[in-house]
Amino acid sequence: MRKTICLFTLLAVLFAFKSSEKDFAGKIVYQSKFTDLAGNDITDRMAAYLGREQHYYINGKNYKSYDEKENLTQLYQAATNTYYAVGKDKTAQKIDAATGASGKQTVKHLEGRERIAGYDCKALQMETDAGMVVYYYSPRVKVDPKAYAKHHFGDWKAYLEATQGCLPLKQVITSTKNGFIWAMTAVVVEGMALKDKDFELPQDIRVK
């Protein structure tokens, strides 16, 4: 009898632990730094076009981001698998997220580790036709990759499959074609309750 009670207790503890592992919902704030291919800091020049910060919100299936001036820059709605790229003039390009994946996708898990925003992160390198990106991610900040099974735009599906749903806490994008390296590093990771209605396209945004 005592063994049976112990077994049930152990199963209850394991179930409770597993149930507490939820998809991340909340905000991640990234700060950007730009260098040219020789390592010279060009942040001031590039930030005028790409911003100094990205404030990223996700509720497990929908996401959006703003720059440091609270301008909406991107929005993804899972219900229709639609991605909106939003400009500073408050016009948006509507994109079917089922399209736009790079033809080449080479993934390599790296040995390096880095502590970012309080999280111990693993690293992987992804090479595509668009360039090379090194991602740093933590298993403690993740979503269900199945929710993005049709999101090929920007190679998002491929990335989430490679990390088993872990969100990037740092991205180092090398664009040889354009002559710069863009590092986006998380400085804030904050869980919060976000509803689907929080990811509606604002009325002042005009779709092209």
Side-chain angles (χ1 to χ4, degrees), residues 86-98:
V86 185
K88 291 183 179 180
D89 61 354
K90 293 188 179 296
T91 62
Q93 181 181 0
K94 185 178 180 180
I95 300 169
D96 180 358

Side-chain angles (χ1 to χ4, degrees), residues 15-207:
F15 179 78
F17 177 76
K18 184 176 181 179
S19 298
S20 67
E21 296 179 349
K22 298 179 180 179
D23 293 342
F24 176 79
K27 175 176 72 172
I28 303 174
V29 177
Y30 300 91
Q31 290 184 344
S32 293
K33 180 179 180 180
F34 299 88
T35 61
D36 62 21
L37 298 181
N40 300 304
D41 193 323
I42 56 172
T43 300
D44 288 341
R45 181 175 39 152
M46 297 299 295
Y49 303 97
L50 298 172
R52 293 182 180 275
E53 294 183 356
Q54 183 184 96
H55 297 209
Y56 182 85
Y57 297 83
I58 189 168
N59 72 345
K61 54 183 179 179
N62 306 293
Y63 65 79
K64 61 182 178 179
S65 66
Y66 299 83
D67 64 16
E68 68 277 10
K69 296 180 180 178
E70 299 186 356
N71 296 308
L72 181 67
T73 57
Q74 64 174 342
L75 171 67
Y76 172 74
Q77 296 173 332
T80 58
N81 197 34
T82 302
Y83 179 94
Y84 295 92
V86 185
K88 291 183 179 180
D89 61 354
K90 293 188 179 296
T91 62
Q93 181 181 0
K94 185 178 180 180
I95 300 169
D96 180 358
T99 63
S102 299
K104 171 187 175 183
Q105 294 174 348
T106 303
V107 176
K108 179 181 179 181
H109 291 271
L110 305 178
E111 295 296 328
R113 298 289 189 272
E114 190 167 329
R115 190 164 181 83
I116 301 166
Y119 295 87
D120 291 322
C121 296
K122 301 178 181 180
L124 70 80
Q125 176 181 293
M126 179 178 288
E127 289 190 59
T128 70
D129 292 335
M132 183 183 75
V133 186
V134 176
Y135 296 96
Y136 295 83
Y137 61 94
S138 167
R140 293 170 55 199
V141 185
K142 63 187 300 184
V143 295
D144 184 357
K146 296 186 184 69
Y148 299 93
K150 297 180 180 180
H151 191 324
H152 296 281
F153 181 73
D155 301 300
W156 189 232
K157 175 181 182 289
Y159 165 77
L160 288 178
E161 286 183 344
T163 63
Q164 298 182 332
C166 298
L167 298 175
L169 296 186
K170 182 177 180 179
Q171 306 173 53
V172 181
I173 303 165
T174 300
S175 178
T176 304
K177 179 180 178 181
N178 295 298
F180 68 82
I181 299 172
W182 180 8
M184 296 174 56
T185 306
V187 293
V188 174
V189 180
E190 178 184 351
M192 60 177 60
L194 296 170
K195 299 179 180 179
D196 289 348
K197 68 178 182 180
D198 295 320
F199 298 88
E200 296 176 353
L201 191 67
Q203 293 184 353
D204 63 340
I205 301 297
R206 179 174 58 86
V207 179

